[in-house]
Short mmCIF file of all heavy atoms in Angstrom, two decimals:
data_model
loop_
_atom_site.label_atom_id
_atom_site.label_comp_id
_atom_site.label_asym_id
_atom_site.label_seq_id
_atom_site.Cartn_x
_atom_site.Cartn_y
_atom_site.Cartn_z
N TRP A 1 41.68 26.08 24.89
CA TRP A 1 41.61 25.31 23.68
C TRP A 1 40.56 25.79 22.67
O TRP A 1 40.90 25.98 21.50
CB TRP A 1 41.52 23.80 23.91
CG TRP A 1 41.45 22.97 22.69
CD1 TRP A 1 40.34 22.23 22.30
CD2 TRP A 1 42.43 22.77 21.78
NE1 TRP A 1 40.66 21.50 21.18
CE2 TRP A 1 41.88 21.82 20.69
CE3 TRP A 1 43.79 23.21 21.53
CZ2 TRP A 1 42.63 21.48 19.63
CZ3 TRP A 1 44.53 22.77 20.42
CH2 TRP A 1 43.92 21.90 19.53
N PRO A 2 39.47 26.11 23.17
CA PRO A 2 38.35 26.71 22.19
C PRO A 2 38.81 27.88 21.51
O PRO A 2 38.46 28.19 20.31
CB PRO A 2 37.20 26.89 23.15
CG PRO A 2 37.25 26.06 24.23
CD PRO A 2 38.78 25.89 24.49
N LYS A 3 39.73 28.74 22.04
CA LYS A 3 40.22 29.91 21.32
C LYS A 3 41.07 29.44 20.05
O LYS A 3 40.99 30.12 19.01
CB LYS A 3 41.00 30.80 22.22
CG LYS A 3 40.20 31.24 23.49
CD LYS A 3 41.19 31.85 24.50
CE LYS A 3 40.46 32.12 25.78
NZ LYS A 3 41.39 32.38 26.84
N ASP A 4 41.90 28.38 20.37
CA ASP A 4 42.70 27.98 19.18
C ASP A 4 41.81 27.31 18.11
O ASP A 4 42.10 27.42 16.88
CB ASP A 4 43.67 26.74 19.76
CG ASP A 4 44.85 27.49 20.60
OD1 ASP A 4 44.85 28.68 20.63
OD2 ASP A 4 45.69 26.64 21.11
N VAL A 5 40.79 26.62 18.49
CA VAL A 5 39.82 26.03 17.53
C VAL A 5 39.18 27.12 16.71
O VAL A 5 39.08 27.00 15.48
CB VAL A 5 38.85 25.09 18.33
CG1 VAL A 5 37.83 24.60 17.37
CG2 VAL A 5 39.59 23.92 18.98
N VAL A 6 38.73 28.07 17.37
CA VAL A 6 38.15 29.30 16.67
C VAL A 6 39.08 29.97 15.75
O VAL A 6 38.67 30.23 14.53
CB VAL A 6 37.43 30.31 17.64
CG1 VAL A 6 37.03 31.44 16.92
CG2 VAL A 6 36.28 29.67 18.33
N ASN A 7 40.30 30.12 16.11
CA ASN A 7 41.31 30.73 15.26
C ASN A 7 41.51 29.84 13.97
O ASN A 7 41.54 30.38 12.84
CB ASN A 7 42.64 30.74 16.05
CG ASN A 7 42.77 32.24 16.66
OD1 ASN A 7 42.54 33.24 16.12
ND2 ASN A 7 43.08 32.24 17.93
N LEU A 8 41.50 28.55 14.15
CA LEU A 8 41.79 27.60 13.03
C LEU A 8 40.49 27.49 12.18
O LEU A 8 40.67 27.59 11.01
CB LEU A 8 42.09 26.22 13.51
CG LEU A 8 42.34 25.02 12.45
CD1 LEU A 8 43.40 25.57 11.51
CD2 LEU A 8 42.76 23.78 13.11
N ALA A 9 39.40 27.52 12.81
CA ALA A 9 38.17 27.66 11.97
C ALA A 9 37.94 28.87 11.14
O ALA A 9 37.64 28.81 9.98
CB ALA A 9 36.83 27.34 12.85
N ASN A 10 38.31 30.01 11.80
CA ASN A 10 38.34 31.29 11.05
C ASN A 10 39.23 31.27 9.85
O ASN A 10 39.05 31.77 8.71
CB ASN A 10 38.56 32.45 11.90
CG ASN A 10 37.46 32.63 12.90
OD1 ASN A 10 36.40 32.13 12.77
ND2 ASN A 10 37.71 33.46 13.97
N HIS A 11 40.55 30.66 10.04
CA HIS A 11 41.50 30.61 9.06
C HIS A 11 40.98 29.75 7.88
O HIS A 11 41.16 30.12 6.66
CB HIS A 11 42.85 29.92 9.60
CG HIS A 11 43.80 29.61 8.58
ND1 HIS A 11 44.62 30.54 7.94
CD2 HIS A 11 44.08 28.44 7.99
CE1 HIS A 11 45.35 29.89 7.15
NE2 HIS A 11 45.08 28.65 7.07
N LEU A 12 40.22 28.69 8.26
CA LEU A 12 39.69 27.79 7.11
C LEU A 12 38.38 28.34 6.59
O LEU A 12 37.71 27.61 5.82
CB LEU A 12 39.63 26.40 7.62
CG LEU A 12 40.91 25.76 8.20
CD1 LEU A 12 40.59 24.40 8.80
CD2 LEU A 12 41.83 25.50 6.91
N LYS A 13 37.87 29.41 7.11
CA LYS A 13 36.64 30.02 6.77
C LYS A 13 35.41 29.13 6.99
O LYS A 13 34.53 28.93 6.20
CB LYS A 13 36.61 30.42 5.17
CG LYS A 13 37.69 31.62 4.91
CD LYS A 13 37.73 31.90 3.40
CE LYS A 13 38.59 33.20 3.25
NZ LYS A 13 40.05 33.00 3.59
N LEU A 14 35.49 28.54 8.20
CA LEU A 14 34.43 27.63 8.57
C LEU A 14 33.57 28.39 9.72
O LEU A 14 34.12 28.65 10.82
CB LEU A 14 34.94 26.35 9.12
CG LEU A 14 35.75 25.46 8.16
CD1 LEU A 14 36.35 24.35 8.92
CD2 LEU A 14 34.92 25.03 6.97
N GLU A 15 32.39 28.67 9.47
CA GLU A 15 31.57 29.32 10.36
C GLU A 15 31.07 28.33 11.44
O GLU A 15 31.15 28.58 12.68
CB GLU A 15 30.34 30.07 9.71
CG GLU A 15 29.48 30.80 10.76
CD GLU A 15 30.21 31.93 11.41
OE1 GLU A 15 31.06 32.46 10.83
OE2 GLU A 15 29.87 32.28 12.60
N ARG A 16 30.58 27.18 11.05
CA ARG A 16 30.12 26.11 11.99
C ARG A 16 30.75 24.82 11.63
O ARG A 16 31.00 24.53 10.38
CB ARG A 16 28.64 26.17 12.08
CG ARG A 16 27.99 27.57 12.41
CD ARG A 16 26.53 27.40 12.67
NE ARG A 16 26.30 26.72 13.96
CZ ARG A 16 25.19 25.92 14.22
NH1 ARG A 16 24.24 25.62 13.23
NH2 ARG A 16 25.04 25.30 15.49
N PHE A 17 30.81 23.90 12.64
CA PHE A 17 31.52 22.64 12.41
C PHE A 17 31.13 21.60 13.56
O PHE A 17 30.73 22.19 14.56
CB PHE A 17 33.02 22.82 12.34
CG PHE A 17 33.42 23.81 13.50
CD1 PHE A 17 33.81 23.36 14.64
CD2 PHE A 17 33.65 25.21 13.20
CE1 PHE A 17 34.15 24.27 15.67
CE2 PHE A 17 34.08 25.99 14.22
CZ PHE A 17 34.36 25.55 15.48
N ALA A 18 31.25 20.47 13.21
CA ALA A 18 31.05 19.40 14.29
C ALA A 18 32.42 19.11 14.98
O ALA A 18 33.58 19.54 14.47
CB ALA A 18 30.57 18.09 13.64
N ILE A 19 32.41 18.55 16.09
CA ILE A 19 33.62 18.31 16.95
C ILE A 19 33.47 16.76 17.41
O ILE A 19 32.49 16.33 17.87
CB ILE A 19 33.72 19.26 18.13
CG1 ILE A 19 34.21 20.59 17.64
CG2 ILE A 19 34.70 18.59 19.16
CD1 ILE A 19 34.33 21.54 18.69
N LEU A 20 34.60 16.06 17.37
CA LEU A 20 34.77 14.65 17.98
C LEU A 20 36.08 14.62 18.73
O LEU A 20 37.07 14.96 18.30
CB LEU A 20 34.71 13.66 16.85
CG LEU A 20 35.10 12.18 17.28
CD1 LEU A 20 33.99 11.74 18.28
CD2 LEU A 20 35.04 11.34 16.02
N GLY A 21 35.80 14.33 19.97
CA GLY A 21 37.06 14.15 20.85
C GLY A 21 37.17 12.67 21.34
O GLY A 21 36.13 12.01 21.73
N TYR A 22 38.41 12.14 21.13
CA TYR A 22 38.63 10.64 21.44
C TYR A 22 39.44 10.66 22.68
O TYR A 22 40.54 11.29 22.73
CB TYR A 22 39.24 9.97 20.32
CG TYR A 22 39.72 8.64 20.56
CD1 TYR A 22 38.84 7.66 20.84
CD2 TYR A 22 41.02 8.41 20.68
CE1 TYR A 22 39.24 6.23 21.20
CE2 TYR A 22 41.53 6.99 20.88
CZ TYR A 22 40.66 6.10 21.33
OH TYR A 22 40.93 4.85 21.69
N SER A 23 39.13 9.81 23.62
CA SER A 23 40.01 9.54 24.83
C SER A 23 40.37 10.88 25.53
O SER A 23 39.54 11.62 25.96
CB SER A 23 41.27 8.67 24.34
OG SER A 23 42.05 8.31 25.41
N GLY A 24 41.61 11.13 25.60
CA GLY A 24 42.08 12.30 26.28
C GLY A 24 41.65 13.58 25.49
O GLY A 24 41.85 14.75 26.02
N GLY A 25 41.21 13.47 24.37
CA GLY A 25 40.57 14.62 23.62
C GLY A 25 39.14 14.91 24.05
O GLY A 25 38.63 16.07 23.69
N GLY A 26 38.64 14.00 24.85
CA GLY A 26 37.19 14.21 25.22
C GLY A 26 36.88 15.43 26.03
O GLY A 26 36.11 16.24 25.74
N PRO A 27 37.75 15.81 27.04
CA PRO A 27 37.72 17.05 27.92
C PRO A 27 37.71 18.30 26.91
O PRO A 27 37.01 19.33 27.24
CB PRO A 27 38.76 16.95 28.88
CG PRO A 27 39.11 15.52 29.02
CD PRO A 27 38.91 14.94 27.63
N TYR A 28 38.52 18.17 25.89
CA TYR A 28 38.74 19.36 25.02
C TYR A 28 37.44 19.63 24.17
O TYR A 28 36.99 20.76 23.95
CB TYR A 28 39.89 19.22 24.07
CG TYR A 28 41.20 19.22 24.82
CD1 TYR A 28 41.77 18.00 25.32
CD2 TYR A 28 41.82 20.45 25.17
CE1 TYR A 28 42.93 18.12 26.14
CE2 TYR A 28 43.06 20.49 25.88
CZ TYR A 28 43.59 19.22 26.37
OH TYR A 28 44.72 19.21 27.10
N ALA A 29 36.83 18.37 23.82
CA ALA A 29 35.42 18.54 23.09
C ALA A 29 34.39 19.21 23.94
O ALA A 29 33.60 20.02 23.72
CB ALA A 29 35.09 17.23 22.63
N ALA A 30 34.41 18.68 25.28
CA ALA A 30 33.51 19.27 26.30
C ALA A 30 33.73 20.71 26.46
O ALA A 30 32.84 21.47 26.70
CB ALA A 30 33.59 18.43 27.65
N ALA A 31 34.96 21.17 26.55
CA ALA A 31 35.31 22.48 26.77
C ALA A 31 34.70 23.38 25.69
O ALA A 31 34.34 24.49 25.86
CB ALA A 31 36.80 22.73 26.94
N CYS A 32 34.89 22.87 24.52
CA CYS A 32 34.28 23.54 23.24
C CYS A 32 32.78 23.67 23.37
O CYS A 32 32.19 24.73 23.02
CB CYS A 32 34.75 22.90 22.02
SG CYS A 32 36.56 23.27 21.62
N ALA A 33 32.18 22.52 23.82
CA ALA A 33 30.76 22.55 23.87
C ALA A 33 30.23 23.58 24.84
O ALA A 33 29.13 24.29 24.71
CB ALA A 33 30.25 21.22 24.30
N LEU A 34 31.05 23.95 25.88
CA LEU A 34 30.80 24.87 26.86
C LEU A 34 31.02 26.27 26.35
O LEU A 34 30.29 27.23 26.63
CB LEU A 34 31.42 24.65 28.19
CG LEU A 34 31.29 25.60 29.32
CD1 LEU A 34 29.74 25.69 29.71
CD2 LEU A 34 32.16 25.24 30.54
N ALA A 35 32.18 26.48 25.80
CA ALA A 35 32.70 27.86 25.48
C ALA A 35 32.21 28.35 24.21
O ALA A 35 32.09 29.63 23.93
CB ALA A 35 34.30 27.76 25.45
N ILE A 36 32.02 27.53 23.16
CA ILE A 36 31.67 28.09 21.79
C ILE A 36 30.49 27.28 21.23
O ILE A 36 30.55 26.88 20.06
CB ILE A 36 32.81 28.02 20.86
CG1 ILE A 36 33.53 26.51 20.72
CG2 ILE A 36 33.94 29.06 21.13
CD1 ILE A 36 34.54 26.35 19.75
N PRO A 37 29.38 27.25 21.89
CA PRO A 37 28.29 26.44 21.39
C PRO A 37 27.59 27.05 20.00
O PRO A 37 27.14 26.22 19.25
CB PRO A 37 27.26 26.47 22.53
CG PRO A 37 27.57 27.74 23.29
CD PRO A 37 29.01 27.75 23.22
N GLU A 38 27.84 28.37 19.78
CA GLU A 38 27.21 28.89 18.73
C GLU A 38 28.01 28.52 17.38
O GLU A 38 27.54 28.70 16.34
CB GLU A 38 27.26 30.55 18.84
CG GLU A 38 28.76 31.16 18.77
CD GLU A 38 29.52 30.97 19.94
OE1 GLU A 38 28.91 30.37 21.02
OE2 GLU A 38 30.78 31.37 20.01
N ARG A 39 29.25 28.02 17.49
CA ARG A 39 30.05 27.61 16.39
C ARG A 39 29.80 26.08 16.10
O ARG A 39 30.38 25.59 15.01
CB ARG A 39 31.55 27.97 16.65
CG ARG A 39 31.83 29.39 16.83
CD ARG A 39 31.59 30.17 15.67
NE ARG A 39 32.32 29.97 14.46
CZ ARG A 39 33.52 30.53 14.18
NH1 ARG A 39 34.02 31.50 15.05
NH2 ARG A 39 34.12 30.31 13.11
N ILE A 40 29.23 25.31 16.96
CA ILE A 40 29.24 23.84 16.75
C ILE A 40 27.92 23.35 16.37
O ILE A 40 26.84 23.72 16.72
CB ILE A 40 29.51 23.23 18.24
CG1 ILE A 40 30.93 23.65 18.74
CG2 ILE A 40 29.40 21.72 18.15
CD1 ILE A 40 31.16 23.16 20.18
N THR A 41 27.93 22.47 15.28
CA THR A 41 26.65 21.80 14.83
C THR A 41 26.33 20.60 15.67
O THR A 41 25.34 20.38 16.03
CB THR A 41 26.92 21.45 13.42
OG1 THR A 41 28.13 20.58 13.25
CG2 THR A 41 27.01 22.61 12.39
N LYS A 42 27.45 19.85 15.98
CA LYS A 42 27.23 18.68 16.87
C LYS A 42 28.62 18.43 17.59
O LYS A 42 29.67 18.69 16.98
CB LYS A 42 26.90 17.38 16.12
CG LYS A 42 25.40 17.42 15.69
CD LYS A 42 24.92 16.12 15.07
CE LYS A 42 23.35 16.19 14.64
NZ LYS A 42 22.93 14.89 14.01
N VAL A 43 28.59 17.91 18.61
CA VAL A 43 29.77 17.41 19.38
C VAL A 43 29.52 16.08 19.86
O VAL A 43 28.62 15.65 20.52
CB VAL A 43 30.03 18.43 20.56
CG1 VAL A 43 28.99 18.53 21.44
CG2 VAL A 43 31.34 18.10 21.25
#
């Protein structure tokens, strides 16, 4: 999933961004925190 997020962020020309995962989206937020910490302002 973090690869898809990076692709979308690059498309939108966003270098850094926050992430919020709700319920079953929580593990995906955690995966991004592990895989792409350099792109995340807060999670």
